[in-house]
Amino acid sequence: MTRKIDDTTRYERLLERYRNGDLDRRSFLGLIGAAGVAYGLQTPFAKYAHAQDVSQIRFDGWGGVVSEAFREYAFDPYTEKTGIEVVDGTFSGGDEYLAQVRASQPGEYNIAHLSGVFDYARYKNFDLTTQLNLDNIPNFELVMDRLVEPYRAITPDALSAVPYNYGTTGLAYNRAYISDEEMKEKGARSLIDPAYEGKIGGWSDWRTRIWYGALATDQDPNDIQDMEAVWDAIRQHRDLALKYWGSGAELMSLLAEEEIYVTEGWSGRIAALQEQGHDIGYYDPPNGFGWQECLFVIKGSPVAACEELLNFMLAPETSIAVAEGQNYPPALDGTKVDLGDKIPTLPAYDPTGTLSGLTFADPEYWNGNEAEWSKEFSRVQRGY
Amino acid sequence: MSVEAREARQPWILLSPALTAVTFLLFVPLLFIVVYSFWLSSATGADIPAFSFENWEEALTDPFYRDILLNTLKIAGITTIVCALMGYPAAYFIARARGNKAFLLLLLILPFWISYIIRTMSWINILGVSGAVNWLLVNLGLTEEPIQMLYNETTVILGLVHFLLPFMVLNVFVSLDGIDTNLEDAATSLGATKWQAFLQVTLPLSLPGLAAGGLLCFVLGAGTYITPMVLGGPRDAMFANLVYEAIITQLNWPLGSALSLMLLIVLGALVLIYNRYLGMAQLVKGLG
């Protein structure tokens, strides 16, 4: 019986021959050098060979309870079924992640749990989309049409992602200090209420700051007429705020530790805080920030294996379990699938499957202003 | 090949692995950043290859960047002074300790075993509204309500001092440890008080170490962005945060490249000035 030997064994045998005096130094170093050159030459082409034999897929998401839910309900069962390992990483924001993907080699990042339709459009602009064969994802039929439409508008020929869940960025407040009635009365203005100076928080994301600046000045976030008024509202918020938070974990910590009493927050994270017993209220004001998240397959990924994972993740039992774990309603249409008892109680849940009660950001409008607004926000944040 | 030629070639052969690493891991990426700084960025964030001075013009003429740069230098300066004031006595104590120097040095470098971010975040548990200090103050009856101590420029400086103090202590220690204690004895035997001996003998001889520690603290402090993110308020930012935002948030790599080179040039100039007057030998000793 012959046994295949690995590179380490080859090296050890070579080293042994050299130490025994069977090989002179020149030959030993020459062979080591030749091996290095050979490895260097084959590396750029090795990925094509590796692509035929997918042993792992990289998945990047938001971390925290969301990642834990994916790991428990989706990745481990998928690995058990297919033998393909899912390596999961986390990011604190879509911007940071896009920068990483841009700097990476094709195939290094595979599937990402991206936010909103913004990212889908941005990834298309950077030529990072792939083409999914929906025939390989039968569970895609169960997804709400309303969530698919925005993606089809951006890439009419083929999708590069499947919608996975949706939620809102509403107002979160500590009920010990702010009543439900007060919050309903003040709405987005509670974020610029001098009565809570030093106890106000906010996400450092420029889109959210501008969205809530528009709401505080009674404007339509998808059609802002008086941008200067919005910047002034952001300045007021900045001066009254204790801290801009940068991640879901930080949001939960600031509210739970009572460092802040009011902030905007992600519906699922606030539901998680409520489950932990914290008396934190959540209110979606009129025109509150609705968003959806998708599972995006990045260009250069092993598409067939990714499609298989997506289909597995969209299966009702997986999708519902993940949704219950992360507290965001799934993209599955409640009129087609029985979503169980918990999901209808989650913030932002829409039983009609039309999502008519939520306001989503117009990606064309927001992405068109991104360069100018993100830069201006950096200045406003610093006192300008 | 002659013996002379072989001897002349040998240092280069021995240096070649390090030179290759430095070339490919430092100079080539730096060259990419230089090239990027002359490119342009489209409205969608896509890079446009060009040879334009637009980013440099913006970085050098916009008062926003100038003000944040000056504020960064101010914060780094204050941090360095605090590190020097706190670090010198500690280094002096370790250098003059009898028998347990190794143990004290081990204690000094112990925090390096914990992630910098975790060390920075630990201040939230110490100074937060429900942190250890507030718990103590409230339970001792010194205050009725917890005091808001976090998320301002002071806590940013505190976090930086926490991070950089060991660098200062190590450098000063190396300098003090090399001073012959007989010199102080000689000074006191000639009539100087201990304080005078310290001021006129020990302190001047240890200044190179203090300067090396100061340079390290200043350069590392001025280049940080994590501490203001974790411990700063909405307005608190250092220049590296602007680089981070330009590259990560705004996806404007060309402008981010110009800003990062601007910071590199300012800090590089400080290192050159230091090298001109004090030389790098002390710094290398301190790092060693």
Side-chain angles (χ1 to χ4, degrees), chain A residues 92 95-99 102-103 122 125-126 198-199 206 238-239 241-244 250 253-254 257-259 367-368 370-371 374-375 378-379 381-384, chain B residues 43-47 58 62-65 67-68 128-130 148 150-151 228-237 242 244-245 247-251 253 255:
Chain A
S92 62
D95 298 328
E96 169 201 318
Y97 184 67
L98 177 54
R102 283 183 67 195
R122 291 201 298 175
N125 289 337
F126 283 112
K199 287 294 177 185
W206 63 271
R238 171 204 68 201
D239 292 340
L242 171 71
K243 171 88 178 148
Y244 282 165
E250 198 177 7
S253 165
L254 286 168
E257 300 289 326
E258 298 198 357
E259 292 279 356
N367 284 344
E370 176 175 1
S374 62
K375 201 169 179 179
S378 179
R379 289 158 193 267
Q381 180 182 352
R382 305 284 143 55
Y384 284 76
Chain B
T44 57
D47 305 317
E58 185 178 344
D62 193 328
F64 172 64
Y65 298 117
D67 293 350
I68 300 278
V129 166
S130 48
Q148 186 61 56
L150 277 175
Y151 310 124
M229 279 173 96
V230 176
L231 296 177
R235 282 175 185 248
D236 294 313
L242 300 186
Y244 175 88
E245 283 173 9
I247 290 176
I248 302 293
T249 309
Q250 297 157 21
L251 297 172
W253 290 16
L255 178 63

Side-chain angles (χ1 to χ4, degrees), chain A residues 174-220:
Chain A
N174 189 321
R175 282 201 177 104
Y177 304 96
I178 301 172
S179 68
D180 295 343
E181 292 72 29
E182 183 184 348
M183 180 50 68
K184 274 183 187 156
E185 184 195 329
K186 291 180 179 169
R189 287 183 193 278
S190 60
L191 294 174
I192 51 172
D193 187 343
Y196 300 114
E197 183 174 6
K199 287 294 177 185
I200 296 171
W203 190 13
S204 56
D205 171 56
W206 63 271
R207 293 181 199 88
T208 307
R209 295 269 54 80
I210 291 175
W211 188 284
Y212 271 90
L215 293 187
T217 54
D218 297 322
Q219 298 192 68
D220 177 358

Side-chain angles (χ1 to χ4, degrees), chain B residues 71-83 86 116 120 123 127 151-165 221 224 227-228 231-232 236 238:
Chain B
N71 192 50
T72 300
L73 299 179
K74 183 194 86 180
I75 290 173
I78 293 172
T79 302
T80 304
I81 292 168
V82 175
C83 282
M86 291 176 70
Y116 163 49
T120 305
W123 286 104
L127 297 178
Y151 310 124
N152 49 52
E153 195 171 281
T154 307
T155 47
V156 172
I157 293 170
L158 184 70
L160 286 174
V161 169
H162 181 198
F163 163 47
L164 297 168
L165 191 58
T224 189
T227 310
L231 296 177
D236 294 313
M238 295 175 76

Side-chain angles (χ1 to χ4, degrees), chain A residues 25 61 69 115 141 168 207 244 252 279 289 304 331 348 378:
Chain A
R25 190 178 63 168
S115 176
E141 288 293 318
T168 55
R207 293 181 199 88
Y244 282 165
M252 291 171 74
D279 191 16
F289 200 160
S378 179

Side-chain angles (χ1 to χ4, degrees), chain A residues 61-66 91-94 115 165-173 202-205 207-209 212 245-252 255 263-274 280-284 289-291 293 326-329 347-348:
Chain A
W62 294 89
V65 291
V66 180
F91 51 75
S92 62
S115 176
N165 58 279
Y166 63 96
T168 55
T169 301
L171 293 161
Y173 53 99
W203 190 13
S204 56
D205 171 56
R207 293 181 199 88
T208 307
R209 295 269 54 80
Y212 271 90
W245 47 268
S247 67
E250 198 177 7
L251 158 70
M252 291 171 74
L255 280 170
T263 175
E264 74 280 329
W266 304 329
S267 53
R269 295 290 179 144
I270 304 308
L273 271 177
Q274 290 166 345
I280 304 294
Y282 185 77
Y283 174 61
D284 273 320
F289 200 160
W291 42 261
E293 290 182 324
Q326 65 175 354
N327 288 312
Y328 291 119

Side-chain angles (χ1 to χ4, degrees), chain B residues 265-288:
Chain B
I265 290 166
V266 170
L267 297 180
L270 281 173
V271 175
L272 286 178
I273 293 169
Y274 173 90
N275 187 42
R276 171 72 180 80
Y277 292 103
L278 294 164
M280 298 302 281
Q282 182 65 37
L283 196 62
V284 174
K285 261 197 280 178
L287 287 169

